[in-house]
Amino acid sequence: MSRAQIWALVSGVGGFGALVAATTSNEWKVTTRASSVITATWVYQGLWMNCAGNALGSFHCRPHFTIFKVAGYIQACRGLMIAAVSLGFFGSIFALFGMKCTKVGGSDKAKAKIACLAGIVFILSGLCSMTGCSLYANKITTEFFDPLFIEQKYELGAALFIGWAGASLCIIGGVIFCFSISDNNKTPRYAYNGATSVMSSRTKYHDGEDFKTTNPSKQFDKNAYV
């Protein structure tokens, strides 16, 4: 098993785990309302729930009750993140089948094709996550720097950075998997010429022996005694 495939598997599976954490997190955008440290209030919003907490330790979450009243960009980000998680799951399975250390997947040529397929799936997963997180972040920054926007303004949450990191890992792992196909196709070819060399040496030996045995007969011909 090559080191490139190990790093690709670790990167892809790690990115898939980060995508799952970002999708289920409620900290896509955050805001703080604080007149003092004691009365500080934090508001978190994610793809599935809105949460609020205060400095006293109370924390409450309320899910989005209906799909039709959710903003369009949130629905788009939901679809992209679900697609990213699904692709990352299938990419992890294909990656395990495409590893050289596993006994499933067929020959080395078939494993190389499966590894390349896993790389493509990981890249698509990373692109979906990158698009979803960037779309959400663009909406937050647009509202934050808009002077005409009078509603509550939010900042970037931790889930966005986790999603970007997971997308980067998936893309890196996918690229490594796609390039590892060249390593799988390089099968060593050994030319064993031992038998040929032995036979040739025996032939030379027998030829020399015949030469030695025939030469004395010519030297001790009957004319030599005359």
Side-chain angles (χ1 to χ4, degrees):
M1 182 171 54
S2 62
R3 293 182 180 180
Q5 285 190 340
I6 296 176
W7 285 110
L9 182 64
V10 172
S11 179
V13 175
F16 167 67
L19 295 185
V20 174
T23 304
T24 57
S25 176
N26 295 321
E27 296 186 20
W28 281 67
K29 58 181 180 180
V30 297
T31 185
T32 303
R33 303 171 185 173
S35 57
S36 64
V37 178
I38 299 176
T39 60
T41 303
W42 296 273
V43 179
Y44 307 94
Q45 287 193 12
L47 298 178
W48 315 100
M49 290 184 180
N50 297 331
C51 300
N54 55 30
L56 300 178
S58 62
F59 192 80
H60 302 281
C61 292
R62 178 180 62 85
H64 300 295
F65 293 107
T66 178
I67 299 176
F68 300 104
K69 290 185 178 181
V70 178
Y73 74 96
I74 296 179
Q75 296 183 9
C77 292
R78 282 180 176 179
L80 289 170
M81 295 305 295
I82 291 174
V85 171
S86 301
L87 290 171
F89 174 75
F90 288 110
S92 301
I93 295 177
F94 292 150
L96 292 176
F97 279 96
M99 299 291 289
K100 291 182 179 180
C101 61
T102 57
K103 297 182 180 180
V104 293
S107 61
D108 291 340
K109 186 178 292 185
K111 283 180 174 292
K113 293 180 180 179
I114 296 174
C116 184
L117 177 62
I120 294 173
V121 173
F122 272 132
I123 292 173
L124 292 176
S125 175
L127 291 177
C128 288
S129 176
M130 190 74 70
T131 304
C133 293
S134 300
L135 178 63
Y136 202 97
N138 179 64
K139 182 66 175 178
I140 295 174
T141 54
T142 302
E143 293 178 351
F144 188 86
F145 293 104
D146 187 5
L148 301 178
F149 187 76
I150 58 175
E151 297 182 7
Q152 179 64 46
K153 295 184 178 182
Y154 293 87
E155 297 181 1
L156 302 179
L160 292 174
F161 298 99
I162 297 174
W164 280 324
S168 301
L169 289 175
C170 286
I171 293 174
I172 292 172
V175 171
I176 296 175
F177 264 122
C178 289
F179 280 104
S180 67
I181 188 174
S182 60
D183 296 335
N184 287 334
N185 289 332
K186 292 179 181 178
T187 57
R189 296 180 179 179
Y190 301 102
Y192 179 70
N193 296 324
T196 306
S197 61
V198 172
M199 292 300 294
S200 61
S201 63
R202 288 182 179 178
T203 304
K204 292 179 180 179
Y205 175 74
H206 287 298
D207 292 343
E209 185 179 0
D210 294 338
F211 176 75
K212 291 179 180 179
T213 54
T214 55
N215 283 340
S217 62
K218 291 182 180 180
Q219 292 178 358
F220 297 98
D221 196 15
K222 62 182 180 178
N223 296 327
Y225 297 94
V226 179

